[in-house]
Amino acid sequence: MEIIKIDSKKNKNLTFLRKIKSDNKFLKENNLFIIDDYLTFLEFLKKDKLTNISYKILKIFTYDYKIVDFIEDWVKDYKKDSKQLDLRVYLANKEVLRDIFKVDNLKIAALVSYKLEKNIIDLNDIKSDKLNYVIVLDEIENPGNLGSIFRNALAFGFNNLVLVNLKTNPFNSLSLRASKGALFYLNLYFINEYSNFLDFVYKTIRNINIDKKEVGFILAQNQVDSISIHNLNKITDFLKRYKLVFIVFGNEESGISKNLKEVVFSEFDFINVKIEIDIDSINVSCANAIFNFVFKYLFSK
């Protein structure tokens, strides 16, 4: 670990940070993200669950010597990845950092790289002795919703999420803040084209050695034939037939896309499940929390 004090506003590291901090395209293309929330950063440091994504801290910017001491102790105790020992910590002016991020209570900014180690669900992620529940998010575009769904998933123990044609970056600042670090404990699988979704499902089926007939889909949508989420008997009867169930939540405005539904309708058994309410729709992260609660209850019976 190297500690570097920055005295000039024009320091090249600060200039680079200022340039990329809101450049989501650059960050995404280079598999980078910035943690600018201290609680999220603390959650990141204590991550001990292996997922399908590996992470590495590249640079840390702060003005607080206490944080530097804390990080130094963390590096000394860090045994899992010796690559973290080349970490650089930059001590900068408090007001300069706040000006860059436009955040009054900013304590830290950590530049992190990530690598997708595998993009297919395998036996390590699936328990063969129980029904397995995989969340599919289709075209979610609000980063706050996405981060909240990550927190919901972790809270209820559903750790596999398939992200289909996302309209927002799960590692952008708003998603990270909303998730409070929950996404670091989750397996995230990225599908950028609908044409690749079916291939993903079939690879998963082969990988975990189950039959296509043991896979079912639940579409969270309000249709004429939708089953009420209160109808636990019908939902339970459906679940009993499968070892692997994908539950799909659609875009905030347009719902589940036609393209994804066509894949499901043509290949797999499915049911539509709705939340009976007196308004047209409910926020997708709230709907996800309700579904998670119900399915957690059903799984534990």
Side-chain angles (χ1 to χ4, degrees):
M1 173 176 163
E2 184 179 3
I3 302 172
I4 302 169
K5 188 173 182 180
I6 297 176
D7 295 317
S8 172
K9 292 183 179 180
K10 297 182 179 180
N11 178 276
K12 64 179 182 180
N13 289 287
L14 289 180
T15 301
F16 175 71
L17 185 64
R18 186 179 286 106
K19 179 180 179 180
I20 69 168
K21 66 103 177 177
S22 297
D23 191 343
N24 286 321
K25 182 180 178 181
F26 175 87
L27 292 170
K28 186 175 181 180
E29 288 177 349
N30 290 278
N31 287 359
L32 299 170
F33 62 90
I34 297 172
I35 302 174
D36 60 7
D37 175 69
Y38 186 57
L39 293 179
T40 301
F41 177 74
L42 292 180
E43 195 63 46
F44 178 87
L45 290 189
K46 69 180 184 181
K47 184 184 89 73
D48 57 4
K49 179 184 181 298
L50 296 177
T51 70
N52 68 321
I53 302 175
S54 61
Y55 301 93
K56 179 186 176 186
I57 304 173
L58 302 178
K59 299 179 180 182
I60 293 176
F61 297 83
T62 185
Y63 57 82
D64 193 330
Y65 282 91
K66 291 181 180 179
I67 291 179
V68 175
D69 292 340
F70 171 77
I71 295 169
E72 197 166 23
D73 289 340
W74 173 78
V75 170
K76 289 177 182 178
D77 293 337
Y78 198 82
K79 305 297 183 183
K80 297 178 183 178
D81 187 355
S82 61
K83 292 179 181 178
Q84 288 293 178
L85 298 179
D86 62 6
L87 172 65
R88 291 185 175 184
V89 178
Y90 296 89
L91 269 166
N93 180 274
K94 181 177 182 178
E95 298 305 320
V96 171
L97 286 179
R98 287 181 173 180
D99 180 65
I100 291 174
F101 286 89
K102 311 301 180 186
V103 176
D104 288 338
N105 62 345
L106 182 92
K107 291 184 178 181
I108 196 167
L111 180 65
V112 182
S113 66
Y114 64 95
K115 180 181 179 182
L116 188 65
E117 300 291 350
K118 61 181 180 179
N119 202 33
I120 189 67
I121 303 175
D122 66 22
L123 289 171
N124 293 326
D125 309 317
I126 294 294
K127 295 180 180 179
S128 59
D129 60 342
K130 64 175 288 186
L131 186 149
N132 292 280
Y133 173 94
V134 176
I135 297 171
V136 179
L137 304 179
D138 177 30
E139 290 193 352
I140 301 299
E141 58 183 298
N142 183 292
N145 284 336
L146 189 61
S148 295
I149 291 173
F150 291 153
R151 293 180 77 182
N152 296 342
L154 183 64
F156 288 98
F158 301 125
N159 297 325
N160 291 297
L161 291 88
V162 184
L163 311 178
V164 183
N165 199 19
L166 278 187
K167 302 301 183 185
T168 186
N169 183 354
F171 297 105
N172 74 26
S173 179
L174 293 175
S175 292
L176 287 171
R177 283 177 173 266
S179 80
K180 291 298 181 186
L183 79 165
F184 302 131
Y185 296 88
L186 302 172
N187 295 309
L188 305 179
Y189 304 97
F190 296 84
I191 309 296
N192 295 325
E193 300 290 341
Y194 289 109
S195 57
N196 296 330
F197 181 73
L198 183 60
D199 183 56
F200 173 86
V201 176
Y202 274 113
K203 283 183 178 178
T204 293
I205 290 172
R206 291 192 294 270
N207 218 24
I208 64 177
N209 196 28
I210 63 174
D211 191 89
K212 172 186 171 182
K213 294 181 180 179
E214 296 175 298
V215 177
F217 275 77
I218 292 177
L219 307 182
Q221 60 178 353
N222 186 5
Q223 300 291 311
V224 175
D225 63 345
S226 290
I227 298 170
S228 169
I229 199 167
H230 301 293
N231 196 331
L232 300 181
N233 289 333
K234 281 191 175 182
I235 296 175
T236 301
D237 288 342
F238 179 82
L239 294 177
K240 285 179 179 178
R241 307 204 299 265
Y242 307 103
K243 289 185 178 179
L244 179 64
V245 170
F246 293 89
I247 179 161
V248 184
F249 298 89
N251 176 267
E252 292 89 340
E253 294 294 328
S254 56
I256 302 171
S257 70
K258 179 181 177 181
N259 291 326
L260 188 55
K261 286 192 281 191
E262 285 178 349
V263 171
V264 175
F265 294 168
S266 64
E267 296 286 334
F268 301 99
D269 290 340
F270 70 93
I271 56 172
N272 297 307
V273 177
K274 66 180 178 180
I275 300 174
E276 291 184 306
I277 51 179
D278 294 328
I279 57 176
D280 289 339
S281 63
I282 190 171
N283 177 278
V284 66
S285 63
C286 295
N288 170 259
I290 293 169
F291 271 79
N292 287 357
F293 175 82
V294 170
F295 280 85
K296 189 69 173 182
Y297 167 76
L298 292 177
F299 290 169
S300 61
K301 289 181 69 175

